[in-house]
Amino acid sequence: MTMMMLLGALTASLAGADGGHLHRTTIEHRGTPVTIDYRASTALSTRQTGMSPPTRTGGVVRCAWVARVAVERRLGGADGLSRVVDTGLQLKGSQPGTCTAAKKAIEREVAARGDEVRRHVLAVVERDRATLLAELEAAARPNAS
């Protein structure tokens, strides 16, 4: 049994050409518009199970995979403050064969579940609204010395 970690953005683009699902919104805080980007990225881990001995035929090898989706919130464009606000979505599956041989099929399967990731990002945006407003308010307060 072997373990491989493949990290990267394996999801298709919702908006923009840089990969990852993106949701952009603008809110007004204290009379100033603030642009907020929510971007989903995927970390894929695979685990190969079974065996296929070289002297025998008919071995059974499978690649189990888990894609962990993280949603990052970025304020004010590309160089703004950012932090991960959710890591709750996991996509799981299994492919026949070795993990190396199944890599492209796994990438296609993860991309095919893009609507699920997109719905998750929109749900995170809704859940994060109160926290975002509280953080903006706290950042706007003058520091007490």
Side-chain angles (χ1 to χ4, degrees):
M1 181 175 1
T2 64
M3 175 71 115
M4 292 175 32
M5 287 296 290
L6 301 171
L7 299 176
L10 298 176
T11 55
S13 178
L14 172 64
D18 57 350
H21 292 277
L22 175 69
H23 176 79
R24 176 171 286 156
T25 188
T26 302
I27 64 169
E28 190 169 306
H29 181 257
R30 294 189 175 199
T32 304
V34 179
T35 301
I36 302 108
D37 291 339
Y38 290 87
R39 180 174 309 281
S41 61
T42 307
L44 179 66
S45 62
T46 59
R47 191 178 91 222
Q48 189 170 298
T49 58
M51 58 184 278
S52 182
T55 59
R56 296 184 187 178
T57 59
V60 178
V61 178
R62 291 200 67 78
C63 181
W65 59 267
V66 176
R68 290 170 180 82
V69 178
V71 180
E72 175 188 28
R73 178 202 327 135
R74 183 174 300 275
L75 300 176
D79 54 349
L81 297 172
S82 69
R83 75 178 186 91
V84 173
V85 293
D86 183 85
T87 58
L89 180 62
Q90 291 187 2
L91 309 174
K92 297 179 182 183
S94 176
Q95 287 288 324
T98 66
C99 291
T100 303
K103 182 180 180 213
K104 294 279 189 206
I106 293 169
E107 289 174 357
R108 283 191 303 271
E109 195 169 338
V110 170
R113 294 176 70 183
D115 286 342
E116 186 177 346
V117 175
R118 194 172 293 113
R119 284 190 304 273
H120 178 72
V121 170
L122 293 174
V124 168
V125 169
E126 287 301 311
R127 285 194 314 263
D128 186 54
R129 184 171 176 75
T131 303
L132 170 63
L133 292 172
E135 288 175 5
L136 287 172
E137 196 58 36
R141 282 189 217 120
N143 291 335
S145 300

